[in-house]
Amino acid sequence: MIGGLFIYNHKGEVLISRVYRDDIGRNAVDAFRVNVIHARQQVRSPVTNIARTSFFHIKRSNIWLACVTKQNVNAGLVFEFLNKMVEVMQSYFGKISEDNIKNNFVLIYELLDEILDFGYPQNADTSILKTFITQTGIKAQVTKEEQSQITSQVTGQISWRREGIKYRRNELFLDVLENVNLLMSPQGQVLSAHVAGRIVMKSYLSGMPECKFGINDKLVLDKSGRSDDPSKVSATGKASIAIDDCTFHQCVRLSKFETEHSISFIPPDGEYELMRYRTTKDISLPFRVIPLVREVGRTKMEVKVVIKSNFKPSLLAQKIEVRIPTPLNTSGVQVICMKGKAKYKASENAIVWKLKRMGGMKESQISAEIELLPSDKKKWSRPPISMNFEVPFAPSGLKVRYLKVFEPKLNYSDHDVIKWVRYIGRSGLYETRC
Amino acid sequence: MTDSKYFTTTKKGEIFELKNELNSDKKEKKKEAVKKVIASMTVGKDVSALFPDVVNCMQTDNLELKKLVYLYLMNYAKSQPDMAIMAVNTFVKDCEDTNPLIRALAVRTMGCIRVDKITEYLCEPLRKCLKDEDPYVRKTAAVCVAKLHDINAQLVEDQGFLDQLRELLSDSNPMVVANAVAALSEISDTSPSPAAQMEMNQQTINKLLAALNECTEWGQIFILDALSNYVPKDDREAQSICERVTPRLAHSNAGVVLSAVKVLMKGMEYVGMESEFVTTLQKKLAPPLVTLLSSEPEVQYVALRNINLIVQKRPDILKHEMKVFFVKYNDPIYVKLEKLDIMIRLATQENIAQVLAELKEYATEVDVDFVRKSVRAIGRCAIKVEQAAERCVSTLLDLIQTKVNYVVQEAIVVIKDIFRKYPNKYESIISTLCENLESLDEPDARASMIWIVGEYAERIDNADELLESFLEGFHDESTQVQLQLLTAIVKLFLKKPTETQELVQQVLSLATQDSDNPDLRDRGYIYWRLLSTDPAAAKEVVLAEKPLISSETDRLEPTLLDELICYIASLASVYHKPPSAFVEGQALVVRKTQLPVRSASGEPGATGATESPVPQQAQPVQQQQSVIPSHDTAMGDLLGDLLSMDLNPPQQQMSMTPAPQQDMGGMDLLGGGLDSLLGGPSPVAGMPASQASMGGGLGDILGLGISSTTYVPPKQVWLPAPKAKGLEVSGTFSIRQNVRYMDLTLKNNAMAPMGDFAIQFNKNSFGLSPASALQVPSPLSPGQTADVTLPLGTNGPVQKMDPLMNLQVAMKNNIDVFYFSCLIPIHLLFTEDGQMGSASDRKVFLATWKDIPDSNEVQKEIANPNQLDPKGISDKLQQSFIFTIAQRNVDGRDMLYQSLKLTNGIWVLAELKIQPRSPTMTLSLKTRALDVIPQVQQAYELIIANM
């Protein structure tokens, strides 16, 4: 298993070093610094083998996190653990930065001691960790009941929720957050498109509530035999969507999903990600980008980009940004656009066109003249035009059908719970080649 | 409160200051000081001098401070083992604390303090904690067993911790089960001892599958990884395991998904090939694999490396998912390169148009490696999908027009392969290629271009000029290019003999006379001779029709692929190498990582002709091998003879000259070689009999009555004199009075006296090492012989050797250090306590025999030349520590049941079937360590034949 974990700053100085196994020596710390952080050529793999020692690393805002091992460990587990480690640290002290790590090094050692035992990851759920690893230091005089409550939560079957939570108002918020990804050819042909969606839930519920969640997934609806209800089809446009694949938070009973296609769970308290999913079929693309690039001689280029919004006129898209890359040898740019603001940013080699909002079924355009310095360098590789936006609907067509809450032990029913649902569609990689 | 200030102090006298603060009365100050110490420790400063002061802070009810002190202890206890003992009391006390968090903390930390003395004290608290009422303590204790095993494996086995750990597999708490599984898996991975192996039966599997649904994400990974090592009894069991693992594919942790994929990929091998179950399962596998591609780039990388394997093993799974492997503009480079690889593997006639359009796009990117690989990919597509070849070629031509240097070179290399695959189809583009001749500066590209010119010399008008231009800088070229140039010009000559005679002369002389590269010279000579003796034959050889290259290049070898499938998700699957290639000390442990034998309908044409960059090399080289070497050696011998004749005419110097020794050495070397081939001493001229009887006689005379006169093989020459500047070493192994000896004869064949002898062994399979220094009468004057015995121990460093019994020895004297190797006869390692149970109590033997799976039984006919009766055989074998446990008579045949034990604790059980008046007997051996079986068989034969 994992033999050691090191954290470095961008200069390669060690901030945290925790060794779990004998086969990892102090020289491993230096080996990674010399061969990866200070390597002359940027390292081309997140896994590096130096003298029969394997290093797994991730880099988060100037900070390197590396796991070391000499064994044939589960590589998926190691990277998932590193990401989890980052998540835990963030929830304790915010941004991962050199200062924050130095300020909390005692806490980090304490966390490492708890969540990685002899290189085996242990329960790393922040809500539970926070009950007994605190920044102020735990009071030694906790009662016996409290102690056993902590340990039973750490090891328990419902390790993500503690018992005895009480709210005056039982409330829950569901956010359907989708990232729509697109790669389009200059001719307007969709090369690849998919939606990566997440359902984030904020639950403020008392006790140990049992939840059941329903969406308009084709598979689920077919199973329950309700999809042939014609009234529903007309109401939402399309009755059900085809989800390619989905993954769930560990609270969801996977075996039940496999057999009955029902999503049932006892939720963690507060905010967490209930589900992730991916769809590729029948995606409604909110925008279409039509590029036109013309090279006029060796020193001039003309670019015209039209964007068309493709959703209900009653809805408004926000935070729209179109990024048109320019060649490295650009000497000057003149931009004309009817709406929004456009600027040439030399440091980013791009024209950035921003629109605050745009209604559905509209069209807008920008044109630019780019002057180039004559250069004999090899041809410009024409990176794709990318776009950012936010729309108030789910491009995949996903709809939340119900979320039922049952808490048999406490006297509140499903009707008493206040539920909020919100849909947000954002751009992922939304690119059009030009 | 900020802690970063602790990182900044670097004053002198700091340690002293810290010491004072640590001994301060104020709690806060103490804590601050310990924090400073930890900070210094982190950045690599040596603060071990503060050990006693820090340990003094351990007795505190402040948990945070306690944890810090423990952290310090884990780091420095090893360097101060005596001081570490001071901490033991606190640990033991903490293990009894009412707070389960403190109990767990104590047992967790204690396991991390790798000091022998502490481990003794650890046993009792650990035993208690394994049965603690609190699951948190139990799960911590489970991991602690693995820690202890790492420090002292024997102790863990002796104290019965393994059984306690196995009991935890049925614990009510899933996390305890998961940690117990993790610990047991690690122990059985690292320990060669059969007792430590993790026995998996249906019952445990069911327990694990039940715990799978309830434990944490990490626990699920431990369990899935353990499950993947289980071999299901039949396809129904395999199917039910698969069914219960499938829901894990929807887990959000990529590690869980990948481990589940591993279990399923292995499981499918056990369910019939064509079954419907496999088809549906394959369909279920695709979506989760694709989903992995939306995780963090590092996880994507691991997933892609695994998908690469999966696509090779079961191409159907992802055949419709080509699009998801399209490269995104801002993917990290390592993700891009892997995606490219998978795209080519998935390319088919249906999707080739899309793939090509993508590849062409990639070929204009900035990253040189990526662009090169994209160009290469286009070539591979052409070779793989015949219908697309034309489009690929035109795409490549477009790319050549860009004149980007590395793109052109890469394109030319792949076009050569396309020519090899589709001869006489695309030669029209040669002229375009020739235009770029100047810009080629990489050996690969130059060699490919030259090959093309040579191969199609008849269609290129100025082929001779082109090749001549290369010839100018012949000696500056790399070997690859030189060889190509030589062949190409010979081809040209055979095709257009009239104009190119001068050119061919020139290249042949360059290759044969002015080059010191033997490959080049040899090929030059071969061509020269061919051309001068039989031009028709030359034509047949050089211009022979070449086999087409296969379409599936750079696939992994099927056996390696199968092995790697068993390691999905692990590092091995990322490196695409078996773990033995990058993990140390895994050698002795044989893991069950084989996939079941596949039915014949498996992979179509997985292996094919290799794609050699020098395609036409194959034939001439083969010829070369059959003609030249024999000639050469004959010459050499003759020369050698002549020389030695010339050098040693005077008779009186004979004793001093190296010649006779050399002969001797040669003979001995041959003998030794033969012996080692046979794996034991060959019966040389009655020697063994006399020696053995001598040994026996001695034993009798001394009247020791100890039946330890094991069979002693005759001495062999291990180190011939010419190899060791005149020192000749011959030797053998023996056991006398339960002590193992290496018996050596040292002979000084040099002219000067020798002294300062010393001996050392390399690590070997059974940890054999010299138990005392080598005692040689010194000096050893010229011509003198000395017999030396060297007592041996068996506790030296262990490393599995190949061959198993090989022992590498270094011997030093005042002249130099010499190295030789010899084979240890396995019976040297039989121990006197090799009697399993006793003659009266056969149950142990019987139970063990049944316990070892039948697959570990090996049968062999061995000779019984003297047609000894069972009693004789039994007595004989007993002298060599092979003990007879029981004797039976079945259908007129005698059956002997025997046991023996090796010094490293491996038991071997035997059944010997003796047919009266037959020169052969049947020997069945059963053991958990199959490696030793051939040696034990030989030992039987030798002992029976020679005593």
Side-chain angles (χ1 to χ4, degrees), chain A residues 16-237:
Chain A
I16 297 286
S17 116
R18 177 76 166 89
V19 174
Y20 292 94
R21 302 261 170 157
D22 246 12
D23 51 4
I24 304 300
R26 181 83 201 175
N27 52 357
V29 181
D30 303 323
F32 182 76
R33 178 187 17 248
V34 173
N35 290 294
V36 179
I37 302 181
H38 292 168
R40 212 167 287 156
Q41 236 192 338
Q42 201 198 340
V43 176
R44 313 214 116 199
S45 154
V47 185
T48 326
N49 194 317
I50 306 162
R52 288 194 154 227
T53 309
S54 298
F55 294 82
F56 299 75
H57 75 263
I58 63 174
K59 203 181 170 194
R60 297 285 177 269
S61 61
N62 271 340
I63 296 293
W64 299 77
L65 286 95
C67 276
V68 202
T69 182
K70 284 207 167 184
Q71 291 171 307
N72 182 31
V73 301
N74 187 316
L77 172 140
V78 175
F79 281 124
E80 283 287 346
F81 175 77
L82 280 172
N83 286 320
K84 188 82 194 180
M85 179 74 203
V86 169
E87 194 185 299
V88 170
M89 289 197 291
Q90 274 169 342
S91 84
Y92 266 96
F93 50 76
K95 207 173 146 260
I96 304 288
S97 67
E98 183 173 350
D99 281 347
N100 276 346
I101 287 175
K102 279 185 171 174
N103 281 334
N104 292 286
F105 82 98
V106 172
L107 171 74
I108 295 174
Y109 276 124
E110 205 176 332
L111 284 170
L112 278 176
D113 199 38
E114 185 58 43
I115 62 179
L116 205 54
D117 190 5
F118 199 42
Y120 289 105
Q122 304 292 308
N123 195 343
D125 224 279
T126 37
S127 59
I128 302 296
L129 286 174
K130 280 183 176 171
T131 61
F132 67 105
I133 296 182
T134 56
Q135 274 165 301
T136 49
I138 193 166
K139 297 139 266 161
Q141 282 78 36
V142 270
T143 63
K144 207 167 173 200
E145 292 80 68
E146 279 176 286
Q147 287 164 5
S148 62
Q149 203 186 345
I150 289 172
T151 57
S152 78
Q153 269 158 28
V154 177
T155 59
Q157 299 190 4
I158 305 163
S159 59
W160 53 87
R161 187 181 181 93
R162 63 192 170 88
E163 290 201 37
I165 299 171
K166 279 214 176 69
Y167 287 102
R168 213 162 47 82
R169 210 157 91 124
N170 289 299
E171 204 170 10
L172 67 83
F173 300 84
L174 274 178
D175 282 349
V176 177
L177 306 172
E178 294 196 340
N179 278 321
V180 51
N181 296 278
L182 170 75
L183 184 61
M184 197 176 249
S185 75
Q187 293 75 33
Q189 189 192 359
V190 176
L191 294 174
S192 75
H194 76 270
V195 167
R198 305 186 301 142
I199 296 183
V200 175
M201 182 171 172
K202 263 180 246 166
S203 72
Y204 304 104
L205 302 170
S206 313
M208 290 300 238
E210 179 73 44
C211 297
K212 241 184 145 174
F213 180 53
I215 48 173
N216 60 337
D217 176 22
K218 209 177 236 163
L219 212 59
V220 180
L221 291 176
D222 285 351
K223 197 80 176 181
S224 52
R226 277 187 227 165
S227 63
D228 38 27
D229 185 351
S231 63
K232 275 217 166 90
V233 181
S234 54
T236 53

Side-chain angles (χ1 to χ4, degrees), chain A residues 15 21-22 26 44 54 72-75 80 103 109-110 114 117 120 122 151 245 247-248 278 381 429, chain B residues 4 42 67 78 114 134 136 139 147 179 186 250 254 259 287 291 328 334 364 367 369 569 571-572 575:
Chain A
L15 304 177
R21 302 261 170 157
D22 246 12
R26 181 83 201 175
R44 313 214 116 199
S54 298
N72 182 31
V73 301
N74 187 316
E80 283 287 346
N103 281 334
Y109 276 124
E110 205 176 332
E114 185 58 43
D117 190 5
Y120 289 105
Q122 304 292 308
T151 57
D245 187 38
T247 59
F248 297 101
R278 189 167 47 83
S381 69
L429 271 183
Chain B
S4 55
T42 299
K67 283 184 179 174
K78 230 180 156 185
R114 309 177 53 91
D134 196 295
Y136 183 77
K139 71 116 186 164
K147 293 179 191 168
N179 276 3
E186 174 165 341
S259 291
T291 298
K328 292 187 192 128
Y334 51 83
T364 59
D367 191 288
D369 280 351
L571 255 183
Y575 292 145

Side-chain angles (χ1 to χ4, degrees), chain B residues 647-876:
Chain B
L647 277 174
N648 323 312
Q651 197 68 32
Q652 68 269 28
Q653 273 189 0
M654 271 306 262
S655 59
M656 285 306 181
T657 51
Q661 288 165 19
Q662 206 154 23
D663 280 352
M664 275 268 291
M667 219 180 76
D668 285 335
L669 201 63
L670 203 67
L674 260 177
D675 285 349
S676 51
L677 275 179
L678 292 169
S682 53
V684 186
M687 265 287 284
S690 66
Q691 254 211 351
S693 67
M694 268 236 318
L698 259 175
D700 288 347
I701 290 165
L702 292 170
L704 292 169
I706 300 165
S707 56
S708 62
T709 42
T710 58
Y711 164 64
V712 180
K715 280 189 182 167
Q716 299 173 34
V717 175
W718 284 339
L719 184 68
K723 278 189 154 182
K725 303 192 176 157
L727 173 68
E728 184 184 282
V729 179
S730 49
T732 185
F733 295 93
S734 64
I735 304 185
R736 291 190 293 275
Q737 296 174 34
N738 295 337
V739 180
R740 296 172 178 78
Y741 291 98
M742 185 187 240
D743 297 327
L744 293 165
T745 304
L746 307 179
K747 189 174 178 204
N748 184 353
N749 283 332
M751 287 183 294
M754 293 177 180
D756 301 338
F757 284 92
I759 196 165
Q760 204 170 5
F761 294 178
N762 193 359
K763 288 181 194 165
N764 52 72
S765 310
F766 291 89
L768 227 47
S769 60
S772 69
L774 190 64
Q775 307 281 340
V776 183
S778 190
L780 194 64
S781 37
Q784 198 187 340
T785 307
D787 283 320
V788 191
T789 55
L790 179 70
L792 303 176
T794 53
N795 298 322
V798 176
Q799 181 185 17
K800 189 176 175 183
M801 301 297 292
D802 189 32
L804 190 70
M805 306 310 294
N806 199 16
L807 175 67
Q808 294 174 336
V809 183
M811 183 171 275
K812 184 187 92 92
N813 61 13
N814 55 341
I815 299 167
D816 203 349
V817 183
F818 310 105
Y819 301 92
F820 62 91
S821 64
C822 52
L823 292 175
I824 312 161
I826 197 162
H827 66 260
L828 185 76
L829 303 159
F830 297 170
T831 56
E832 70 273 12
D833 59 345
Q835 185 158 16
M836 185 174 274
S838 66
S840 56
D841 180 16
R842 296 163 189 169
K843 277 186 201 138
V844 188
F845 181 86
L846 223 73
T848 319
W849 180 273
K850 280 188 188 146
D851 200 36
I852 302 175
D854 284 339
S855 56
N856 278 22
E857 181 170 341
V858 179
Q859 229 176 47
K860 197 190 175 200
E861 292 282 315
I862 62 169
N864 182 7
N866 309 332
Q867 301 190 8
L868 290 169
D869 60 342
K871 174 87 174 64
I873 292 173
S874 180
D875 288 350
K876 244 184 180 191

